[in-house]
Amino acid sequence: QKEVEQNSGPLSVPEGAIASLNCTYSDRGSQSFFWYRQYSGKSPELIMFIYSNGDKEDGRFTAQLNKASQYVSLLIRDSQPSDSATYLCAVNPRGISGNTPLVFGKGTRLSVIA
Amino acid sequence: EAGVTQSPTHLIKTRGQQATLRCSPISGHTSVYWYQQALGLGLQFLLWYDEGEERNRGNFPPRFSGRQFPNYSSELNVNALELEDSALYLCASTGRVGTEAFFGQGTRLTVV
């Protein structure tokens, strides 16, 4: 059973602070990793993807991947109240070679306090 | 470029009826995933179609079924609806398997 684990939260941070969201996965052969943001009652929106070890930055967002530790994180700098949402970590266990679908964590609820 | 589109947006059915949900992927995408998200819960994987074939299905009863058409659009059918089938049903499409998936706006199914 391929698993993706996230702390359900809520994670509360003050406006302007850095929010750090973490995710661990069970399949060591996993190839691609994604972060989605989901507002209440809406569908998930892709905000970052990362395929290689290290950091990937896009605006206020940084995704970090450590395959040896089976750990992926998302940092949100200068957090805004509009960032308040549930953040879903998703993992593709075997990339293009497998028949295992994209696996989602249950999500971490982030609350940015003004 | 149009994103993933799902129809209908809302659907109300009576217990025991059948529901049909539709999904059109992003142009050029050949892979379609279906997920169920009950209120306040995480995404539960239902079905995955790629190039017209069912690649995998989640731990759901056989009354949940679907298909993918030659134009890569997809249909999810739920037979003998039960109250607990009430949920947001999400479709996502990808191009090459393993690459990023994009979601439609979802179909909110209510079974009464």
Side-chain angles (χ1 to χ4, degrees):
Chain A
Q1 180 77 8
K2 316 299 182 187
E3 292 185 351
V4 176
E5 300 287 342
Q6 294 182 257
N7 189 317
S8 62
L11 173 66
S12 294
V13 300
E15 184 176 358
I18 296 175
S20 178
L21 303 158
N22 304 314
C23 170
T24 59
Y25 58 93
S26 63
D27 186 348
R28 184 170 290 278
S30 297
Q31 299 292 321
S32 46
F33 308 85
F34 309 91
W35 283 99
Y36 290 83
R37 177 176 62 198
Q38 186 176 27
Y39 293 111
S40 180
K42 302 296 186 182
S43 66
E45 172 193 10
L46 179 69
I47 53 174
M48 290 286 289
F49 61 89
I50 185 166
Y51 297 157
S52 304
N53 271 331
D55 294 1
K56 179 181 178 182
E57 187 174 318
D58 183 1
R60 295 187 297 112
F61 299 98
T62 298
Q64 299 176 315
L65 175 61
N66 184 325
K67 289 186 177 181
S69 299
Q70 295 175 236
Y71 176 91
V72 58
S73 65
L74 178 71
L75 301 178
I76 306 174
R77 289 181 299 281
D78 188 24
S79 295
Q80 301 297 309
S82 58
D83 294 326
S84 298
T86 296
Y87 289 80
L88 303 170
C89 172
V91 175
N92 189 280
R94 290 283 165 171
I96 64 173
S97 62
N99 280 322
T100 308
L102 203 57
V103 180
F104 282 83
K106 295 190 185 304
T108 298
R109 190 156 52 92
L110 173 67
S111 178
V112 181
I113 311 300
Chain B
E1 180 182 310
V4 179
T5 57
Q6 291 186 244
S7 63
T9 305
H10 293 86
L11 188 58
I12 300 175
K13 291 286 187 179
T14 303
R15 190 171 53 182
Q17 285 188 313
Q18 179 200 38
T20 298
L21 288 63
R22 296 181 176 84
C23 172
S24 292
I26 290 171
S27 177
H29 284 190
T30 61
S31 212
V32 171
Y33 294 90
W34 286 97
Y35 291 88
Q36 181 197 66
Q37 188 175 38
L39 192 62
L41 299 181
L43 274 68
Q44 301 296 316
F45 167 67
L46 272 164
L47 289 160
W48 174 23
Y49 293 97
D50 183 52
E51 297 277 1
E53 300 290 328
E54 182 179 300
R55 288 282 289 263
N56 207 325
R57 67 176 290 132
N59 188 25
F60 279 84
R63 58 190 186 83
F64 286 84
S65 65
R67 54 180 170 167
Q68 186 176 35
F69 298 99
N71 66 354
Y72 304 117
S73 67
S74 178
E75 198 173 84
L76 173 69
N77 294 292
V78 188
N79 293 320
L81 284 165
E82 300 179 1
L83 296 178
E84 52 264 36
D85 296 333
S86 295
L88 180 66
Y89 288 83
L90 293 161
C91 166
S93 75
T94 70
R96 191 166 60 93
V97 173
T99 59
E100 53 271 30
F102 296 91
F103 283 86
Q105 81 281 13
T107 293
R108 173 79 58 190
L109 173 64
T110 302
V111 183
V112 297

